[in-house]
Amino acid sequence: MSEITSLTLYELIKNIKEKKISSNEAAKSFVDRAEKSKKINAYVTENFENCLKLSKEFDDKPNFDLKLPGIPIAVKDLFCTNEVRTTAGSNILNNFVPTYESTVTQNIWNEGGILLGKLNCDEFAMGSSNETSFFGNVQNPIAEDLVPGGSSGGSSAALAANLTPVTIGTDTGGSIRQPASFTGTVGLKPTYGSCSRYGIVAFASSLDQAGPMSKDVKDSSILLEVISSFDKKDSTSIDFKRNNYSSELTRNIKGLKIGIPKEYRVDGMPDEIEKLWKKGIDYAKDCGAEIIDISLPHTSYALPTYYIVAPAEASSNLARYDGVKYGLRSSGKNLIDMYEKTRSEGFGEEVKRRVMIGTYVLSSGYYDAYYLKAQKVRQLIKQDFDQAYNKVDAILTPSTPSSAFKIGEKSNDPVSMYLNDIFTVPVNLAGLPGISIPAGVDKNNYPLGLQIIGKSFDEQTVLNIAYSMEEKINYKNNITDWWMK
Amino acid sequence: MVVCDNIFYHMSIDLKTVKHISKLARISLDEKKAEKLATDMNSIFEFIEKLNELNTDNVEPLTSIAETTLRFRDDKITSENIREKILKNSPEKNDDFFVVPKVVE
């Protein structure tokens, strides 16, 4: 049998159910490997001792009917975990210990999952490279000094480095799919309203959505089934009939219509991405899908729209960090001075930049010109998809306009960093489900991903297409454990 | 910035505006950081200006992607005795209240 840490979630569950591996053995393997992998900097907070203890308790009284029986899982540090520090990658929450649990993580523990620890991420999920985290850069296990993507960079790195069998991230503009693409892993952003936002540190509430990240498509279907639930505690949680995503998973996608949007052929897109996309189209055909050319005419307006809507909502959401009820407090001459110093010392540069942009676009006299305008364009972007879905069942695009870049390469130019999300942002604006699956490598052998976008609430079709294409693509990450040498 | 006929033209964000926005956002900035932010914000807004190309006069703004009406819940207390929990993370506390710097002289 191959090493425990390199098993997929599905294989690990099977072995635990067949009593070939105990929960405690699994927990020990992941903890041991994490101890040798500090250089990746995936963890902000380790929960190792508690995980070992709880896994033992599971073994003493196992329940194999659960969907995640005694499975150790590390999660992005944006999910509030009861009595375990939750930082959102920010200095302002450095000492924050929640007294409640997010619904998504609670769903995981209810099904037998055990918390391994909290994973690094861009500060308040604002970033595409994990470089805005207060807790330092994360190494991409693919190669040294390469970013793991972001904002769920600790999650993608931990997954690719076999430090956790699966993980969860959050995706506001691509923060699950882009890091998955950069690390040769699978990442799914569900339909807005599918997974509860309760207990997730808020960034942009009309866009934020939690989702699974995994080594293969089947694992994402298993995890989605656990985390997707209607929740009264989230006012935008939607009560729709959720599939049994893993048992309904099929590779039979014969006759499905897959759209290819011509507007995703952007200027300056590297040849390799274009080739990958073409290869993807061939794979989809091989799987029995019908390929149809479509148009999403407002695609190029998605990023500018996003960079009004997301900072506006962020500036409002982050107003709560004032040094009064929780989080960092700096001392000041008076109350206002205390607020200003706390926020200046507590927030990093990118967060300040976005709060400033958001405050500006919402400020008196500018609201109509920016925020209202952006909401109108958002409508047009959504209508593009609505029209496309009259003709097709799903849409196939590249996940990112490039492979992973070097740490520091783009950190001084915010706009070039934002362009990373050019293919993922429209999906958030329209609230649709989207998955990134590994589909090949570039000239440096860095992974590249393809994105499949579905109709609202149709995660099953997205998963099925991904599952079918995954078999044809047959991608395998080449991880050398360079950080242990 | 000038608004006319529903088309807006962006003029560069100067240092004075950055300082005004930082006051509204309650983030203190030194001169150097304010200058850097002005540069960054200008390059970001230059990029955002692309939206001006679009005529959106007859478009309904999209305020929520979840096409549901907000649910009502019963106006009932569902938690009890959580004072300790609420105060647990406060940066400066006594047993009963959040403490802030003196506001009344």
Side-chain angles (χ1 to χ4, degrees), chain A residues 283-288 467-475:
Chain A
Y283 286 131
K285 280 183 193 160
D286 283 355
C287 295
Y467 191 47
S468 182
M469 287 181 64
E470 175 186 58
E471 191 191 32
K472 296 264 191 269
I473 294 168
N474 194 25
Y475 175 88

Side-chain angles (χ1 to χ4, degrees), chain A residues 170-307:
Chain A
T170 60
D171 190 317
T172 305
S175 284
I176 286 175
R177 291 159 289 157
Q178 185 255 20
S181 176
F182 279 14
T183 54
T185 57
V186 174
L188 169 69
K189 183 203 91 75
T191 308
Y192 184 79
S194 165
C195 298
S196 171
R197 290 185 294 109
Y198 178 78
I200 299 175
V201 177
F203 163 14
S205 301
S206 80
L207 301 160
D208 295 345
Q209 185 58 204
M213 300 173 77
S214 60
K215 292 174 191 172
D216 66 14
V217 175
K218 194 183 184 75
D219 284 1
S220 268
S221 73
I222 297 169
L223 193 54
L224 179 66
E225 205 171 294
V226 171
I227 63 175
S228 176
S229 66
F230 171 64
D231 183 14
K232 282 184 180 162
K233 288 186 265 187
D234 170 3
S235 63
T236 59
S237 173
I238 298 173
D239 194 5
F240 67 99
K241 197 192 160 294
R242 287 155 171 86
N243 294 47
N244 296 313
Y245 298 106
S246 63
S247 52
E248 291 176 45
L249 194 65
T250 170
R251 291 201 176 97
N252 181 5
I253 60 162
K254 226 171 160 206
L256 279 184
K257 295 188 175 86
I258 298 181
I260 309 298
K262 62 169 188 275
E263 290 80 6
Y264 278 60
R265 221 159 259 127
V266 293
D267 287 346
M269 186 160 84
D271 236 18
E272 322 178 284
I273 305 287
E274 179 79 39
K275 275 189 197 142
L276 178 89
W277 199 10
K278 282 201 179 115
K279 225 173 72 183
I281 293 169
D282 289 340
Y283 286 131
K285 280 183 193 160
D286 283 355
C287 295
E290 188 188 335
I291 301 297
I292 295 177
D293 287 325
I294 58 163
S295 173
L296 299 168
H298 297 94
T299 298
S300 64
Y301 300 100
L303 263 186
T305 302
Y306 178 84
Y307 275 96

Side-chain angles (χ1 to χ4, degrees), chain A residues 371-385:
Chain A
Y371 193 64
L372 193 67
K373 177 89 186 178
Q375 284 185 316
K376 287 178 167 191
V377 181
R378 188 175 179 185
Q379 182 78 269
L380 296 174
I381 291 163
K382 185 178 177 290
Q383 285 171 1
D384 281 358
F385 282 104

Side-chain angles (χ1 to χ4, degrees), chain A residues 408-473:
Chain A
E409 195 181 314
K410 296 190 180 183
S411 46
N412 289 324
D413 181 1
V415 174
S416 93
M417 187 68 93
Y418 297 168
L419 289 173
N420 264 292
D421 296 331
I422 191 161
F423 299 143
T424 46
V425 150
V427 181
N428 297 77
L429 289 171
L432 303 169
I435 198 169
S436 176
I437 55 168
V441 290
D442 72 353
K443 57 180 182 306
N444 297 315
N445 271 329
Y446 300 162
L448 296 168
L450 284 172
Q451 175 177 236
I452 299 146
I453 309 165
K455 296 178 182 175
S456 284
F457 311 117
D458 197 11
E459 277 79 352
Q460 193 69 60
T461 298
V462 170
L463 284 163
N464 290 348
I465 295 170
Y467 191 47
S468 182
M469 287 181 64
E470 175 186 58
E471 191 191 32
K472 296 264 191 269
I473 294 168

